[in-house]
């Protein structure tokens, strides 16, 4: 990876994080069940402070974890450790859609991360306070980011 490509990727991932965090906060505010689950984690952790601060931190971590998992998948692909590729090119998503045509990129990411968690749980298993993957549209934008960067 050239320094220019690295710089562009870093900037794009930072922009994606800034888009994802408010979306996670909105999702959390709209879902009473998710709020209750996170509130229970907050109380069990006995960390003090305000729940809103804890919730915002969880939203930031969830956004970063989602983006890092896509980075990990791409690194594994680039190293030749992940064959067939999942994110590089269109093959992975196309094969997934043959099996599950009604599901989108969000479910493909969920399946990919769950599949890789069997061999790499520390990288791909969700933490208890982690929020679900972002919306289909936000997942599609992340997918498009990777394909714009490498031309696949």
């Amino acid at each position: 990876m050239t320094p220019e490509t690295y710089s562009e990727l870093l900037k794009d991932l930072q922009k994606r994080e800034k888009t994802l965090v408010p979306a996670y906060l909105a999702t959390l505010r709209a879902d009473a069940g998710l709020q209750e689950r996170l509130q229970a984690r907050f109380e069990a952790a006995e960390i003090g402070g305000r729940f809103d601060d804890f919730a915002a931190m969880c939203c930031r971590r969830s956004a970063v974890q989602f983006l890092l998992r896509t980075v990990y998948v791409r690194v594994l692909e680039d190293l030749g450790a992940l064959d067939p590729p999942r994110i590089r090119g269109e093959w992975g998503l196309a094969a997934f859609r043959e099996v599950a045509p009604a599901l989108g990129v969000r479910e493909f990411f969920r399946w990919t991360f769950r599949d890789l968690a069997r061999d790499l749980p520390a990288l791909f298993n969700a933490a208890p306070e982690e929020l679900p993957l972002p919306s289909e549209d936000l997942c599609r934008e992340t997918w498009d980011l990777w394909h714009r960067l490498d031309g696949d």
Side-chain angles (χ1 to χ4, degrees), residues 2-151:
T2 67
E4 294 81 19
T5 304
Y6 173 80
S7 178
E8 182 181 353
L9 174 61
L10 181 60
K11 287 177 188 174
D12 286 341
L13 289 171
Q14 289 169 335
K15 287 179 195 173
R16 296 289 322 128
E17 179 190 2
K18 289 178 182 173
T19 302
L20 290 168
V21 171
Y24 271 115
L25 283 167
T27 298
L28 180 60
R29 290 183 183 124
D31 187 334
L34 192 55
Q35 282 184 19
E36 287 176 22
R37 181 175 68 87
L38 210 55
Q39 180 73 40
R41 292 288 308 159
F42 173 68
E43 291 168 6
E46 297 181 353
I47 58 173
R50 297 177 333 127
F51 172 72
D52 288 343
D53 295 334
F54 177 77
M57 179 197 63
C58 291
C59 290
R60 286 189 302 275
R61 282 185 180 175
S62 296
V64 169
Q65 280 302 114
F66 168 65
L67 294 172
L68 282 175
R69 286 186 182 115
T70 66
V71 171
Y72 299 149
V73 171
R74 286 304 307 268
V75 167
L76 290 169
E77 291 172 341
D78 290 348
L79 293 173
L82 189 58
D83 192 42
R86 309 305 198 279
I87 295 177
R88 178 180 291 281
E90 294 288 333
W91 184 89
L93 182 58
F96 180 77
R97 286 202 167 136
E98 284 183 27
V99 176
L103 301 179
V105 175
R106 182 176 191 251
E107 293 304 317
F108 177 68
F109 278 136
R110 182 187 328 269
W111 173 82
T112 298
F113 300 156
R114 189 178 307 137
D115 181 48
L116 293 172
R118 287 187 280 180
D119 293 323
L120 303 165
L123 297 178
F124 291 100
N125 274 338
E129 65 277 355
E130 197 170 323
L131 301 172
L133 291 179
S135 71
E136 176 67 24
D137 290 340
L138 292 172
C139 285
R140 171 51 79 174
E141 289 172 16
T142 303
W143 173 268
D144 291 343
L145 163 76
W146 286 110
H147 290 261
R148 180 183 55 77
L149 287 174
D150 67 9

